[in-house]
Amino acid sequence: MLAESIVIIGVNHKTAPVAVREKLAFSGDCAGPLLTLMNIEGCQECCFLSTCNRVEVIFVASDPAAAAVAVRGFLFAKSGLADAEAQQYSYLYQGREAVDHLYHVATSLDSMVVGEPQILGQLKQAYREALEQKTTGVILNRLLHKSFSVAKRVRTETNIGGSAVSISYAAVQLAKKILGNLQDKSVLLVGAGEMAELAAEHLVRQGIGRVIVANRTLERAALLARRFNGTAVGLAELTTQLAEVDILVSSTGATDLILTKDQVKPLMRQRKNRPLFLIDIAVPRDLDPELNELDNVYLYDIDDLKNVVDVNKVEREKEALRAEGIVAEEVAKFWQWLEGMELSPTITAIRQKADAIREAEVAKTLSNLKSLSESERRSVEMLANAIVNKLLHEPMVFLKNGGPGDNSRTKLALVRQLFGLDKEY
Amino acid sequence: MTLLFQLTFSLYLFATVVYVVHFLSQKKQVRAVARAIILTGGLLHTVYFVVRYVAAGHTPLTSNHEAVSFFAWSMTWAFLSFWWRYRVKNFGVFVAPLISLLMLIAAFSSQEMVPLPPALRSNWLPAHASIAIMANGFMALAFCGGVMYLLLEHEIKKKKFGIFYSRLPSLEALDNLNQHCLALGFLLMTMGIITGSVWAKQAWGTYWQWDPKETWSLVTWLIYAAILHQRLTMGWRRRRAAIMAIVGFGAVLFTLWGVTYLLGGVHSYVG
């Protein structure tokens, strides 16, 4: 069945530690991965999304099970992990679940910080590249377009975006409260998550003087540093850099603390007590909570920032729930469309539509021609019937004669559009 | 003349009230009113000194009333002088009450004018006394800045944003204020001690006689010297600088009153 041929395979911050995610290492444009994916047998459409926190392949395949193994193999090609392990670190969603997942991603309900706006832009960019490579078709075009509009709907109808934007806004406000003018200050980004990027973007917009990016893999650090006109350093240089910078934004996926009180204490003397604003947006934490006890050191983790932004946690959860409701509603709509995208439902739908029009028009005409005899009335009905059947004959033949595969789907979509079967296209 | 003083005093009190209203409401129009009132107060205060100077026939800085009143005057004008280049958000609500408090103390001290003993009649009197007290004015502003710093820092450290977070300027701005006031205050204080010493030579024949007031002035001066030295070399900035500005101001107050009432000496005002 067509609906079950939509599949998403991916890795994100929930399923795989950063050490694994880094090994997948896709950087630069998606053209290469897209072409490789399209060469997988049975893969009809695909889209490739790679961000700091996730790598996902969204594809439509005639034999989903076989294609899934090949796609996973492609994803983990550089990691050296066996398929069994790869399965453990990745997720696979099919059919309705896949639609549901993609909507969660687009609306940022699946993000590390719910409501962060970055991901939608990244998804749009991924789609744009897929369009350029012509790797999407009827199904993914509609699915991705829908996911964008769902994201937009969630953003306008709920206040979900409020908290993420205001979190980085609050962080910047705090930085200004502590450090005053940001122009002659510098920020060190440790790790390169979506929230770190967002915070950095805000800081840059507020005129921060210098951006330094430290990451385990220098390549990734360089990539992010280039975006902000900054410099990239290795993670080993953390403490050296810390003696210089004014703000540190930490978002590594490390399981242990990367910075303790004892490491920073001697640095403060070296810094001549210049204040240090530490922002820990990693889960689990990167920075020792005791750091806040040091004089002139101010440590805020993501929960602190959230609490500062709005004390009302219940409110935030309510917004997320409302967003979930919208997503569920939209998944159902898409599903309805997808189920209609088969031959027989389409034929039935055309028939029904034509019959409805015929009946309505005949009734209208006959009510104006009351003087007609019974046999004359029957003639009128037969006339209408014949016109409808003759008109529909060619389209039906056109529909039924298609071979299997993408071509027939395009045809279906075309005919459905022609007859206006899906109201909101 | 008493009326003039009382009018000035009530203007300062009124400014304090309006500043508090502005602090709570954060309405710009209210702040403009507060500024106008305190400026009027400062001008009237100046008139009061001129009138008193004419009536006394010498610089009116010889009684406790006059000294404290002049202290308040210095603070007012030091505060007003910031308008030119150096604005500090919501500074007024901290400064105005302190000015009013000083005026209250002045109001309760004897306002009688006493003739100056011949030994003290010198041009060094206005120079020494006014410079020394103006130094106190700046130290008082540093004190206000220190208090503001600690209040704001407390909210940031505890991560509970209350009334001060949105209203006070950045910690950086408050730290700069601290440095600015201490540097100016210290310069004036040094000049005050030098002029005093020259005057002492003229009046008593010796530059320094370890009179309690002198001793305590020196102690205060040393405290501020240490603060500035540490600030420049060891990075005693920010929190520690704020605390030290408060401690230093304690020493200033002790030198001003503690010495006079507890220890006596030649500086004990004639009255």
Side-chain angles (χ1 to χ4, degrees):
Chain A
M1 186 182 165
L2 167 70
E4 291 303 321
S5 64
I6 301 180
V7 182
I8 294 182
I9 289 181
V11 171
N12 68 12
H13 55 280
K14 291 176 193 165
T15 62
V18 71
V20 173
R21 271 182 282 140
E22 272 179 355
K23 277 190 206 154
L24 309 189
F26 291 97
S27 55
D29 70 311
C30 304
L34 281 170
L35 294 178
T36 318
L37 285 165
M38 283 311 272
N39 281 334
I40 289 172
E41 208 189 311
C43 181
Q44 297 159 340
E45 303 179 30
C46 75
C47 183
F48 179 72
L49 172 71
S50 172
T51 76
C52 304
N53 282 337
R54 65 181 70 245
V55 182
E56 307 210 354
V57 180
I58 308 145
F59 64 96
V60 178
S62 51
D63 183 358
V69 176
V71 169
R72 197 159 41 230
F74 157 77
L75 269 184
F76 285 87
K78 288 184 196 164
S79 72
L81 295 174
D83 194 56
E85 259 182 304
Q87 270 187 44
Q88 206 185 328
Y89 286 126
S90 61
Y91 42 84
L92 183 150
Y93 296 111
Q94 197 174 356
R96 196 169 177 140
E97 274 188 341
V99 177
D100 189 68
H101 176 74
L102 185 69
Y103 284 7
H104 272 82
V105 171
T107 54
S108 94
L109 283 167
D110 197 52
S111 294
M112 198 139 106
V113 175
V114 172
E116 55 95 4
Q118 224 81 342
I119 183 66
L120 184 59
Q122 289 160 335
L123 189 60
K124 280 183 175 168
Q125 177 60 27
Y127 178 52
R128 213 170 296 135
E129 299 206 32
L131 275 183
E132 270 168 29
Q133 303 299 325
K134 299 188 175 65
T135 61
T136 55
V138 180
I139 306 288
L140 286 195
N141 282 342
R142 189 178 172 95
L143 178 62
L144 283 156
H145 274 295
K146 281 291 153 193
S147 75
F148 303 151
S149 63
V150 174
K152 195 177 167 200
R153 211 188 133 191
V154 163
R155 205 151 284 276
T156 49
E157 288 180 27
T158 74
N159 195 21
I160 195 172
S163 87
V165 172
S166 54
I167 280 172
S168 55
Y169 178 76
V172 172
Q173 286 308 102
L174 257 168
K176 281 181 158 181
K177 264 284 148 105
I178 296 168
L179 302 167
N181 193 346
L182 296 180
Q183 250 124 48
D184 51 351
K185 308 294 188 303
S186 53
V187 60
L188 172 64
L189 303 176
V190 183
E194 280 152 15
M195 260 328 261
E197 225 174 311
L198 185 62
E201 211 164 73
H202 271 244
L203 284 168
V204 168
R205 213 173 299 148
Q206 295 293 328
I208 190 109
R210 219 154 59 91
V211 178
I212 302 155
V213 186
N215 200 45
R216 280 212 322 202
T217 53
L218 204 56
E219 187 191 338
R220 216 167 237 260
L223 211 66
L224 194 61
R226 208 176 310 141
R227 253 198 72 189
F228 297 114
N229 247 334
T231 39
V233 297
L235 210 52
E237 282 181 60
L238 181 62
T239 43
T240 335
Q241 290 294 335
L242 206 53
E244 303 295 329
V245 299
D246 304 285
I247 306 171
L248 178 139
V249 180
S250 189
S251 63
T252 76
T255 46
D256 296 319
L257 297 177
I258 62 163
L259 204 62
T260 63
K261 192 178 169 186
D262 295 331
Q263 281 172 285
V264 177
K265 207 171 176 181
L267 281 176
M268 288 313 284
R269 197 165 306 150
Q270 203 179 327
R271 295 170 57 87
K272 290 205 168 173
N273 276 315
R274 263 185 313 121
L276 182 60
F277 180 29
L278 306 172
I279 308 170
D280 186 356
I281 47 184
V283 183
R285 292 185 206 217
D286 278 346
L287 309 178
D288 186 356
E290 286 187 2
L291 279 164
N292 197 41
E293 289 163 20
L294 290 174
D295 260 8
N296 301 323
V297 175
Y298 306 89
L299 168 69
Y300 274 71
D301 66 25
I302 194 89
D303 288 328
D304 295 332
L305 287 172
K306 276 183 192 165
N307 285 336
V308 163
V309 171
D310 57 328
V311 189
N312 202 343
K313 210 171 171 183
V314 183
E315 198 65 29
R316 226 166 36 226
E317 276 158 11
K318 220 162 72 190
E319 293 304 309
L321 265 180
R322 280 179 55 207
E324 290 281 356
I326 292 173
V327 166
E329 198 185 309
E330 294 289 337
V331 169
K333 268 193 214 163
F334 185 83
W335 199 248
Q336 206 183 351
W337 173 80
L338 203 55
E339 283 185 327
M341 274 295 288
E342 303 278 344
L343 187 57
S344 57
T346 304
I347 291 172
T348 317
I350 294 174
R351 253 312 4 139
Q352 274 170 354
K353 185 158 185 173
D355 286 345
I357 293 171
R358 178 180 53 83
E359 270 164 36
E361 292 304 317
V362 166
K364 208 160 79 185
T365 307
L366 289 184
S367 70
N368 287 337
L369 299 169
K370 294 225 166 65
S371 58
L372 293 185
S373 69
E374 186 57 29
S375 67
E376 281 169 326
R377 292 169 75 96
R378 196 153 302 145
S379 299
V380 172
E381 278 173 14
M382 277 167 65
L383 165 74
N385 220 350
I387 291 174
V388 166
N389 285 343
K390 293 248 155 101
L391 260 183
L392 286 186
H393 178 71
E394 289 303 328
M396 292 297 187
V397 171
F398 172 74
L399 262 179
K400 285 173 186 166
N401 279 357
D406 189 49
N407 190 31
S408 74
R409 208 171 291 149
T410 315
K411 227 187 249 176
L412 265 176
L414 181 67
V415 171
R416 292 184 72 90
Q417 203 179 349
L418 209 54
F419 283 91
L421 298 183
D422 305 300
K423 288 231 169 60
E424 24 127 34
Y425 198 84
Chain B
M1 196 157 55
T2 318
L3 185 74
L4 202 54
F5 177 78
Q6 277 165 354
L7 196 60
T8 307
F9 181 24
S10 36
L11 276 173
Y12 286 148
L13 271 181
F14 189 34
T16 306
V17 173
V18 179
Y19 267 123
V20 170
V21 171
H22 168 251
F23 187 71
L24 296 174
S25 70
Q26 293 291 298
K27 290 215 170 69
K28 271 190 187 147
Q29 302 94 312
V30 182
R31 186 180 57 194
V33 172
R35 281 178 177 170
I37 296 171
I38 203 162
L39 181 64
T40 318
L43 290 171
L44 266 186
H45 206 162
T46 313
V47 173
Y48 172 67
F49 269 104
V50 172
V51 170
R52 210 174 160 96
Y53 179 83
V54 171
H58 60 84
T59 311
L61 285 175
T62 49
S63 70
N64 188 52
H65 166 76
E66 287 167 345
V68 175
S69 164
F70 189 71
F71 189 173
W73 181 89
S74 316
M75 235 186 121
T76 307
W77 283 103
F79 169 66
L80 290 176
S81 75
F82 279 23
W83 285 2
W84 270 272
R85 321 186 38 171
Y86 203 81
R87 297 263 173 125
V88 180
K89 206 171 144 196
N90 282 318
F91 196 25
V93 76
F94 291 87
V95 174
L98 195 54
I99 295 174
S100 302
L101 192 68
L102 289 172
M103 289 299 273
L104 184 72
I105 293 167
F108 277 100
S109 321
S110 161
Q111 296 180 26
E112 209 181 322
M113 270 183 286
V114 247
L116 201 61
L120 297 182
R121 286 186 195 146
S122 158
N123 282 336
W124 288 109
L125 164 65
H128 164 66
S130 63
I131 289 174
I133 296 175
M134 276 199 282
N136 290 354
F138 279 100
M139 294 316 184
L141 293 187
F143 164 81
C144 291
V147 170
M148 289 163 82
Y149 186 95
L150 293 183
L151 287 171
L152 177 59
E153 205 214 22
H154 180 79
E155 287 192 350
I156 293 178
K157 271 273 183 192
K158 289 282 166 285
K159 298 162 185 177
K160 286 217 168 79
F161 296 170
I163 191 164
F164 298 113
Y165 180 75
S166 59
R167 292 181 171 85
L168 295 193
S170 66
L171 291 178
E172 171 102 340
L174 290 171
D175 192 49
N176 287 340
L177 170 76
N178 182 304
Q179 186 169 15
H180 181 86
C181 291
L182 285 187
L184 267 173
F186 185 70
L187 187 73
L188 288 169
M189 192 178 268
T190 311
M191 282 164 59
I193 288 178
I194 293 171
T195 50
S197 153
V198 172
W199 183 23
K201 170 78 178 162
Q202 198 183 59
W204 297 301
T206 164
Y207 285 110
W208 197 267
Q209 52 183 339
W210 297 106
D211 159 77
K213 192 92 164 190
E214 286 174 3
T215 312
W216 276 95
S217 300
L218 190 64
V219 169
T220 310
W221 185 85
L222 283 172
I223 291 176
Y224 280 110
I227 295 173
L228 281 171
H229 175 262
Q230 292 296 81
R231 185 183 180 99
L232 294 176
T233 58
M234 301 284 291
W236 273 27
R237 306 190 217 206
R238 298 276 175 161
R239 184 181 165 75
R240 205 169 295 180
I243 294 171
M244 289 314 291
I246 294 169
V247 171
F249 189 61
V252 165
L253 292 185
F254 185 77
T255 310
L256 189 64
W257 290 314
V259 175
T260 310
Y261 294 115
L262 300 177
L263 306 172
V266 283
H267 271 84
S268 302
Y269 303 106
V270 201

